[in-house]
Amino acid sequence: MEAAIDRIMQTYDLLLNRTAAASDEARAKVTEYVAKLVEAGEKDPHRLTVCGLTYLRQLDGSNDPVKGGYTGL
């Protein structure tokens, strides 16, 4: 689980330039989320990494097409 969290944070830090406090907050949130996934039975570190990155991107809104400038036109 720790390897997946480390990979998530390394990748996420490449995507966004954030403060150390914001990075620590994101790590705490994703650690809790990944722990729930492991508790539910997910053991594949690659899948945990993808799920964790998706979770963080949903939290910061970067998966939202409207915030990304997509208008549908």
Side-chain angles (χ1 to χ4, degrees):
M1 185 172 103
E2 282 301 315
I5 292 170
D6 288 340
R7 181 182 285 165
I8 291 165
M9 293 310 299
Q10 287 172 349
T11 305
Y12 193 63
D13 287 339
L14 290 173
L15 295 172
L16 296 173
N17 187 14
R18 297 168 303 146
T19 64
S23 185
D24 291 342
E25 182 181 343
R27 179 178 277 277
K29 288 180 181 179
V30 81
T31 298
E32 184 178 319
Y33 179 72
V34 170
K36 287 180 185 178
L37 292 176
V38 169
E39 191 177 296
E42 184 60 62
K43 303 294 183 206
D44 181 18
H46 300 293
R47 190 160 168 79
L48 290 171
T49 300
V50 170
C51 291
L53 284 169
T54 302
Y55 173 74
L56 287 177
R57 295 206 46 186
Q58 286 175 342
L59 285 180
D60 71 16
S62 60
N63 276 355
D64 186 0
V66 174
K67 287 184 180 178
Y70 179 72
T71 62
L73 299 175

